[in-house]
């Protein structure tokens, strides 16, 4: 399973990348709007920090505009993946961009039928929004399971990019279901690592080691 960071914060991306387990980054207009600086500059710096797919989303709502913006993002760096929303216009833009060899991440996917259409249009990644479905009392993880099965049935060269993951169990569940990728905030990545028994166990090992060293020192000086 590949791990992507779902943020446009260079600080978080640098810290996450230093852990050695980050394979890519997803951004969206809301995440980029939170950061200071030009989106192009931020995206380029992200590309220099993480050598993997970096999603940059279009904000146009018509096909021509999406294609124009998508080509602009794609020209920035070879690692850029164009994110298009799952609308009729987005589907047409996905077909055009993918036919020209650009990778598309179809975003805002909330149903298996939307994911199936995205894959048919040539999307390289499909992003089911797990947390936002959970928010409206619909089990988001079931969508991940459905998409994994559908893509497997037909050997679609399209990866399930489980998105809107809000906590560690979302990531673990997505992994159990076979999602190819999970994109998560930096805080969730850190939470995956944390376990109180690890901290307690490490402290005990280090305390025992120090105690033994002191006892050996005392014996040697007798
Ligand atoms: C995915 O690409 C989106 O940027 C993201 O996962 C949305 O997550 P949210 O629903 O927590 O905002």
């Amino acid at each position: 399973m590949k791990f992507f960071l779902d943020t446009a914060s260079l600080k978080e991306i640098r810290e996450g990348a230093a852990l050695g387990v980050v394979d890519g980054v997803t951004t969206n207009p809301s995440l980029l709007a939170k950061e200071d600086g030009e989106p192009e500059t931020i995206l380029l710096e992200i590309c220099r920090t993480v050598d993997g797919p970096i999603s940059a989303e279009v904000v146009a709502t018509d096909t021509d505009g999406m294609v124009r913006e998508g080509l602009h993002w794609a020209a920035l760096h070879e690692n850029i993946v164009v994110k298009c929303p799952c609308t009729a216009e987005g589907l047409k833009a996905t077909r055009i961009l993918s036919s020209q060899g650009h990778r598309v991440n179809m975003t805002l996917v909330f149903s298996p039928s939307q994911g199936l259409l995205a894959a048919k249009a040539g999307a390289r990644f499909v992003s089911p929004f797990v947390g936002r479905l959970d928010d409206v009392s619909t089990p988001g993880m079931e969508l991940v399971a459905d998409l994994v099965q559908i893509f497997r049935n037909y050997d679609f060269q399209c990866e399930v990019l489980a998105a809107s993951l809000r906590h560690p169990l979302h990531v673990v569940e997505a992994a159990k279901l076979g999602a190819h990728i999970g994109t998560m905030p930096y805080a969730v990545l850190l939470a995956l690592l944390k376990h109180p028994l690890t901290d307690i166990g490490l402290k005990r090992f280090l305390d025992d080691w120090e105690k033994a060293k002191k006892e050996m020192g005392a014996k040697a000086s007798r």
Side-chain angles (χ1 to χ4, degrees):
M1 188 192 200
K2 282 167 275 185
F3 277 12
F4 287 4
L5 277 178
D6 194 32
T7 178
S9 157
L10 283 165
K11 182 175 179 293
E12 289 183 346
I13 292 167
R14 287 189 187 113
E15 287 174 13
L19 293 173
V21 292
V22 173
D23 305 293
V25 176
T26 50
T27 67
N28 63 38
S30 310
L31 293 171
L32 278 164
K34 282 200 258 174
E35 304 302 316
D36 287 331
E38 289 299 311
E40 285 83 356
T41 316
I42 297 171
L43 285 163
L44 258 182
E45 195 49 39
I46 295 175
C47 289
R48 290 191 191 109
T49 310
V50 174
D51 187 16
I54 311 297
S55 288
E57 188 161 342
V58 300
V59 290
T61 51
D62 62 301
T63 302
D64 288 349
M66 287 185 198
V67 171
R68 206 168 32 249
E69 284 178 21
L71 293 175
H72 171 72
W73 290 139
L76 274 184
H77 194 282
E78 60 184 1
N79 286 355
I80 294 279
V81 171
V82 181
K83 232 180 178 189
C84 291
C86 194
T87 59
E89 298 297 299
L91 213 58
K92 292 184 226 167
T94 298
R95 168 56 69 206
I96 294 168
L97 288 164
S98 62
S99 304
Q100 293 179 14
H102 301 293
R103 290 178 297 174
V104 175
N105 171 2
M106 183 134 270
T107 190
L108 293 168
V109 168
F110 292 99
S111 73
S113 56
Q114 287 182 316
L116 178 55
L117 283 169
K120 282 187 65 65
R124 183 71 183 72
F125 307 96
V126 164
S127 293
F129 273 39
V130 175
R132 291 194 196 185
L133 278 169
D134 288 356
D135 288 345
V136 294
S137 306
T138 304
M141 213 46 80
E142 286 180 9
L143 176 56
V144 172
D146 286 344
L147 291 173
V148 167
Q149 185 189 332
I150 289 168
F151 293 177
R152 200 178 285 151
N153 285 351
Y154 295 99
D155 263 343
F156 277 120
Q157 293 307 299
C158 182
E159 295 184 72
V160 177
L161 199 172
S164 188
L165 303 179
R166 305 266 177 79
H167 52 71
L169 274 184
H170 269 160
V171 181
V172 172
E173 283 301 316
K176 283 160 78 175
L177 292 170
H180 305 90
I181 307 158
T183 189
M184 66 205 79
Y186 181 50
V188 173
L189 178 65
L190 291 183
L192 284 172
L193 181 63
K194 203 73 190 151
H195 200 292
L197 288 179
T198 303
D199 299 338
I200 292 166
L202 180 61
K203 185 175 180 321
R204 193 179 299 163
F205 286 150
L206 295 180
D207 289 348
D208 289 347
W209 185 251
E210 280 308 313
K211 204 171 133 206
K213 267 199 332 193
K214 269 188 203 138
E215 281 170 7
M216 277 191 318
K219 266 189 212 157
S221 62
R222 269 186 219 143

